[in-house]
Amino acid sequence: MDITVSKKLGSLPPYLFAEIDTAKRKARQEGRNIIDLGVGDPDIPTPSFIIEKLYEAAKDPKNHRYALDQGMPEFRIAIAEWYKKRFNVDLNPEKEILPLIGSKEGIAHMPIAFLDKGDFVLVPDPGYPPYKNATILADGKPQVMPLKASHGFLPELDTINPRIADKAKLMFLNYPNNPTAAVADRSFYEKVVQFATLHNIIVCHDAAYSEVYFNGIKPMSFLEVPGAKEVGVEFHSLSKTFNMTGWRVGWVCGNEKVISALAKVKSNIDSGIFQAIQVAGIASLRDGDSVIEQNNKIYGERCQVFVEGLKNIGWKIDKPHATFYVWLKLPRKVKSSVEFCSILLERANIVATPGVGLGKYGEGYARFALTLDKEKLKEAVERMKVYLVDML
Ligand SMILES: *Cc1c(COP(=O)(O)O)cnc(C)c1O
């Protein structure tokens, strides 16, 4: 039989990390000692009090049945309380919060809820691949907003063609940012609200890294800005906050109409999150403050070791503000980010993500995820000193 995929599926770029995984597997098969800083997946285990809650809740038969599509009321209340405590933002737990099977799930379903064929979506570049790819899968057209170092890796809204802005239904934003580690401030979010109001665009702010920050400076929520709830929603996840990437639990909150449209899509595609996971999620939000503190202490130390280490051996590099990523600008001599990452793997047995894999404007950079311990990061710096000296 002749099996052909749809044109739009065929038009998606290969999943970036799949290609890296293949190269890595090959290197491992050859018995090489790989330091993998490629994928943004915390190595720190989920805290035991959260696991205990899951264990307890998993034993209760009433949690074995289909969960409500809209999530347990208790989980939505815990999210509202956490939001109030953390950001001083009021949310109605019934109408303005929707639990998700990981925030990626909600992000990827947004275009289905709002796009008609050919509608535009403003996406940051470089950026998390689902913004662009979910747009393509919903027959929409991604319109790139370049993130440049010269502008603090924030999109320059006043350079967006107004005709394109008028045809855009959605705008994805993500701060603290993966991959650039940039943060956004209040004045930027205020401009976003103005811009979105003017052009009638739904803002989808991805705040997956709101709890990964250094120097005690807490990133703000988009919803803290007046008018934000009129124009958009914010995605959150327990994945990076509590080292729960495998658990698949997050939520979207904000504009009631946007959330009810997304809920309608979801109810036709998936069902509610396993209740035992929601019960564990409640515990993480109520009792997890010290986890966030400990995580950030660990990431802060790692960042110190890696960034200062690279500086000491002659690399030019800015200290990140938040997230666990280091967005390294490549020296002029290096031709491309793919070439850099292959040399890094071949010579030094280190895996990093080529910037171009996260978008055209990521060319000239490589992303290192600080998801290994300090000793490994010290070793990585040592190897770069020995094997990449000619690149500087
Ligand atoms: C990790 C990550 C997420 C979180 O994904 P989950 O589906 O909640 O695990 C969302 N956005 C970005 C930019 C990320 O890097």
Side-chain angles (χ1 to χ4, degrees):
M1 201 180 86
D2 184 17
I3 296 176
T4 50
V5 300
S6 66
K7 286 201 185 74
K8 59 190 177 190
L9 189 63
S11 78
L12 294 183
Y15 187 58
L16 165 74
F17 303 119
E19 287 186 350
I20 293 174
D21 283 348
T22 312
K24 217 162 49 185
R25 247 198 322 275
K26 183 170 157 277
R28 283 229 170 83
Q29 269 164 10
E30 293 165 6
R32 289 151 55 187
N33 176 11
I34 301 295
I35 298 180
D36 185 359
L37 306 175
V39 186
D41 189 352
D43 58 313
I44 310 165
T46 306
S48 52
F49 78 91
I50 301 174
I51 298 169
E52 289 303 324
K53 275 285 175 200
L54 171 75
Y55 182 53
E56 216 176 276
K59 286 189 282 190
D60 184 347
K62 83 174 189 301
N63 290 331
H64 298 168
R65 314 190 66 188
Y66 282 121
L68 291 172
D69 288 349
Q70 69 269 34
M72 291 168 76
E74 297 84 346
F75 186 35
R76 282 182 273 124
I77 290 167
I79 291 167
E81 286 170 0
W82 183 81
Y83 235 80
K84 180 70 183 168
K85 183 178 72 170
R86 170 68 176 84
F87 301 113
N88 197 26
V89 168
D90 291 296
L91 293 168
N92 177 335
E94 278 172 33
K95 296 178 175 160
E96 296 177 330
I97 295 173
L98 177 67
L100 298 169
I101 309 171
S103 57
K104 185 183 191 178
E105 177 261 295
I107 288 166
H109 284 147
M110 278 298 280
I112 300 177
F114 295 101
L115 299 193
D116 289 308
K117 197 171 168 56
D119 282 344
F120 289 175
V121 175
L122 297 168
V123 298
D125 181 335
Y128 188 50
Y131 309 143
K132 216 179 261 179
N133 295 344
T135 298
I136 294 170
L137 288 178
D139 284 324
K141 292 210 168 109
Q143 298 289 320
V144 158
M145 301 185 290
L147 305 186
K148 297 178 185 163
S150 55
H151 208 255
F153 297 110
L154 299 169
E156 292 167 86
L157 301 177
D158 27 315
T159 67
I160 298 172
N161 181 334
R163 277 196 313 241
I164 288 180
D166 283 336
K167 282 177 71 181
K169 294 287 289 281
L170 304 174
M171 170 194 265
F172 283 103
L173 292 170
N174 163 223
Y175 295 98
N177 185 258
N178 170 11
T180 68
V183 292
D185 60 7
R186 184 173 296 271
S187 78
F188 173 72
Y189 288 136
E190 283 169 356
K191 276 186 225 149
V192 170
V193 170
Q194 252 181 10
F195 183 84
T197 309
L198 180 65
H199 297 288
N200 206 34
I201 298 172
I202 299 166
V203 176
C204 311
H205 183 241
D206 177 354
Y209 296 93
S210 71
E211 306 314 306
V212 185
Y213 50 82
F214 308 125
N215 315 325
I217 304 169
K218 295 185 180 186
M220 63 181 289
S221 159
F222 170 62
L223 299 179
E224 285 179 47
V225 171
K229 221 197 267 180
E230 295 301 306
V231 300
V233 291
E234 188 158 78
F235 290 88
H236 275 267
S237 172
L238 301 184
S239 288
K240 315 295 164 43
T241 305
F242 298 112
N243 316 322
M244 293 171 71
T245 46
W247 294 57
R248 311 315 301 136
V249 53
W251 72 87
V252 60
C253 57
N255 189 283
E256 179 184 333
K257 283 192 190 138
V258 173
I259 285 178
S260 86
L262 184 60
K264 191 170 170 187
V265 173
K266 272 179 61 59
S267 70
N268 284 289
I269 292 180
D270 56 42
S271 298
I273 308 162
F274 180 32
Q275 288 206 60
I277 290 181
Q278 297 188 58
V279 171
I282 295 170
S284 73
L285 292 172
R286 296 233 163 108
D287 302 316
D289 285 359
S290 63
V291 175
I292 294 172
E293 222 170 277
Q294 282 161 22
N295 274 352
N296 289 341
K297 190 162 166 273
I298 293 169
Y299 291 133
E301 285 170 8
R302 290 177 180 182
C303 186
Q304 182 74 14
V305 165
F306 191 69
V307 172
E308 293 307 316
L310 287 185
K311 270 188 190 165
N312 286 340
I313 62 169
W315 293 74
K316 265 178 118 171
I317 181 169
D318 294 323
K319 196 160 188 249
H321 298 287
T323 77
F324 44 63
Y325 299 111
V326 170
W327 188 234
L328 181 71
K329 184 159 173 52
L330 304 175
R332 286 233 177 79
K333 271 194 207 170
V334 179
K335 273 207 220 79
S336 74
S337 57
V338 169
E339 184 190 80
F340 173 79
C341 290
S342 351
I343 293 175
L344 190 67
L345 180 57
E346 285 318 308
R347 290 196 206 159
N349 288 328
I350 297 171
V351 178
T353 302
V356 74
L358 298 158
K360 179 174 126 190
Y361 290 88
E363 186 51 281
Y365 289 86
R367 190 192 73 178
F368 293 79
L370 305 182
T371 46
L372 290 176
D373 63 33
K374 277 192 292 192
E375 299 314 311
K376 288 264 167 41
L377 294 169
K378 259 185 212 155
E379 168 73 22
V381 172
E382 267 314 299
R383 291 188 193 176
M384 285 174 73
K385 181 177 167 186
V386 176
Y387 298 110
L388 299 184
V389 65
D390 57 320
M391 280 194 175
L392 292 168

